[in-house]
Amino acid sequence: MTYPLGWSVIPHMLIRRERWPGGYKTRGSALVYPGQEVQPDQPVFRLEMPEGAQSVREFPGSIAPTSPPASQLAGFHAAQKYMHANVQQMNGMVVSGMRGRVVDITRRGGVIIETRAAIIQGTIGAGNQVAGILTFWNSSYGFHPSSPGQVSPPVGVTPSLPISTPTILVVPGPLNFAMLHLAMNMGVAGIVASSISSRDLEGFLGTNLIALINSMDIELAYEPLPPLTVLLTEGLGTVAMPPRTINLLTRYQGSMALLSGMTFIHQSIYPELIISLPLQEIQQNWRPVLPDPTLIVGARVRICSGSYEGAIGQIIYLYNYMQTFASGVRARAARVRLTDGTTLILPLFLLERIG
């Protein structure tokens, strides 16, 4: 696929993003001004709800999030009708999730922030924008929060109270319905994982995935979704997370990040994780990248499908004419040398440039 920013993993980039938690008929009242420097955990605006309007993800203390239909739970109980107060907000305050400079205030009250960040772009996801601490999942004990002094219950045990720190959970492999259900019950803000079956994702969301990502009204389509944002780096199925993605997430474990699961094909909107770089790294090692997705000789690529899916290599030759493959498909092709020395001839649509 072609990522909006060029590559799926970008270690250093200067970008601008609007901080907006989503929500139908909501507005924000800015607490900052253009030109101001902000920190990831700093409140940047207060949500204002019109009388009678339904609350949004950041403001759910008194409402019941929509649960998947019972027929889709595949043996699991419906999600709790009432969630504990979400850690995304305090008295309606929304934190920035990014370190950087305020550029503008939008008409709806969102805050546009310019930040130097590491970015991971997903292939598909769901859920509004949330901020939280990057925390790796542990298969034996649910997950280990990055904050000291907190203990995670074992998998399969639903805690009586949600976690007290905003958390973005990193699962370096495939997800399943049970993991999503557990994370939501624990009050996790979002999950970054490699993949999931379409059945499990649709069962959790309680909606048709194709209809959701092709919706023309973003805010309205997301109103009934469960309160958990999901980003999948590889998409649907049971595909492992690439080492370069795991390495970047490991490097910034414990950092505050901003996650969006929004996926809308018509508007070329895809899920992304933004991790503002530490000040020391910016001062000592700032090397902004301008990603170029063009497939050229010498480009470092990753195979996206087939028996060599996930393998890394370098393009050593581009064919001028379409090639015919064993499947009968005719397509433009490249000769790729893998890191283990193997040479393959592959159609261009199976290659993703990563460097």
Side-chain angles (χ1 to χ4, degrees):
M1 65 170 288
T2 301
Y3 295 91
L5 296 179
W7 300 346
S8 58
V9 177
I10 305 172
H12 286 180
M13 192 176 196
L14 180 67
I15 61 166
R16 293 182 179 183
R17 286 293 182 270
E18 180 187 12
R19 179 63 172 109
W20 183 251
Y24 202 55
K25 299 180 180 178
T26 57
R27 292 188 61 83
S29 178
L31 303 174
V32 292
Y33 55 86
Q36 181 177 347
E37 296 289 329
V38 295
Q39 298 302 313
D41 59 352
Q42 179 177 340
V44 289
F45 62 87
R46 178 186 291 109
L47 285 177
E48 297 178 349
M49 302 294 298
E51 187 175 352
Q54 189 179 18
S55 298
V56 296
R57 289 282 308 277
E58 308 263 354
F59 216 150
S62 61
I63 67 167
T66 302
S67 300
S71 61
Q72 294 180 311
L73 292 181
F76 290 93
H77 295 294
Q80 299 172 359
K81 185 175 181 181
Y82 291 93
M83 292 289 291
H84 296 275
N86 193 291
V87 291
Q88 285 294 299
Q89 61 85 32
M90 182 175 292
N91 299 324
M93 304 288 191
V94 176
V95 300
S96 69
M98 295 177 283
R99 176 184 293 104
R101 179 176 61 89
V102 176
V103 175
D104 199 4
I105 309 298
T106 64
R107 292 182 61 184
R108 62 184 178 182
V111 177
I112 298 177
I113 298 172
E114 182 179 77
T115 182
R116 291 174 172 86
I119 303 166
I120 292 175
Q121 297 188 101
T123 59
I124 195 169
N128 289 315
Q129 195 184 72
V130 294
I133 303 297
L134 287 178
T135 305
F136 269 75
W137 178 282
N138 182 290
S139 59
S140 299
Y141 299 102
F143 67 90
H144 290 315
S146 298
S147 301
Q150 292 186 320
V151 179
S152 298
V155 172
V157 177
T158 302
S160 59
L161 291 174
I163 58 174
S164 58
T165 303
T167 299
I168 295 174
L169 205 55
V170 177
V171 180
L175 271 178
N176 58 44
F177 180 91
M179 296 165 75
L180 289 171
H181 186 64
L182 175 62
M184 185 179 73
N185 284 346
M186 295 181 72
V188 170
I191 288 185
V192 176
S194 65
S195 55
I196 190 173
S197 72
S198 58
R199 178 180 178 180
D200 278 4
L201 184 57
E202 287 187 335
F204 177 74
L205 297 177
T207 189
N208 179 277
L209 191 58
I210 300 300
L212 180 66
I213 65 177
N214 284 285
S215 172
M216 301 301 292
D217 189 327
I218 296 178
E219 301 290 355
L220 187 60
Y222 271 44
E223 193 70 9
L225 296 186
L228 179 67
T229 295
V230 179
L231 178 152
L232 301 172
T233 61
E234 310 308 302
L236 302 177
T238 53
V239 185
M241 186 177 287
R244 74 187 193 287
T245 306
I246 297 176
N247 291 341
L248 188 142
L249 290 168
T250 301
R251 179 178 182 180
Y252 295 109
Q253 181 176 4
S255 300
M256 177 74 81
L258 189 67
L259 174 67
S260 172
M262 286 191 170
T263 309
F264 292 93
I265 304 301
H266 294 299
Q267 300 184 41
S268 296
I269 296 174
Y270 291 89
E272 65 180 8
L273 178 72
I274 299 173
I275 311 167
S276 292
L277 302 176
L279 290 177
Q280 184 176 3
E281 183 172 343
I282 294 173
Q283 294 167 356
Q284 298 180 357
N285 194 33
W286 171 243
R287 294 193 298 268
V289 175
L290 296 175
D292 182 359
T294 307
L295 296 175
I296 60 175
V297 173
R300 194 161 177 254
V301 295
R302 175 174 172 265
I303 302 174
C304 300
S305 185
S307 56
Y308 286 89
E309 182 173 4
I312 303 296
Q314 185 178 43
I315 295 177
I316 57 176
Y317 184 79
L318 284 169
Y319 290 89
N320 293 324
Y321 302 100
M322 291 198 297
Q323 303 295 302
T324 301
F325 293 89
S327 62
V329 171
R330 283 179 55 81
R332 291 291 308 280
R335 186 181 298 138
V336 177
R337 180 181 292 118
L338 304 184
T339 52
D340 64 1
T342 303
T343 300
L344 303 172
I345 299 175
L346 298 165
L348 298 187
F349 60 76
L350 290 187
L351 301 177
E352 169 200 349
R353 184 170 176 178
I354 61 173

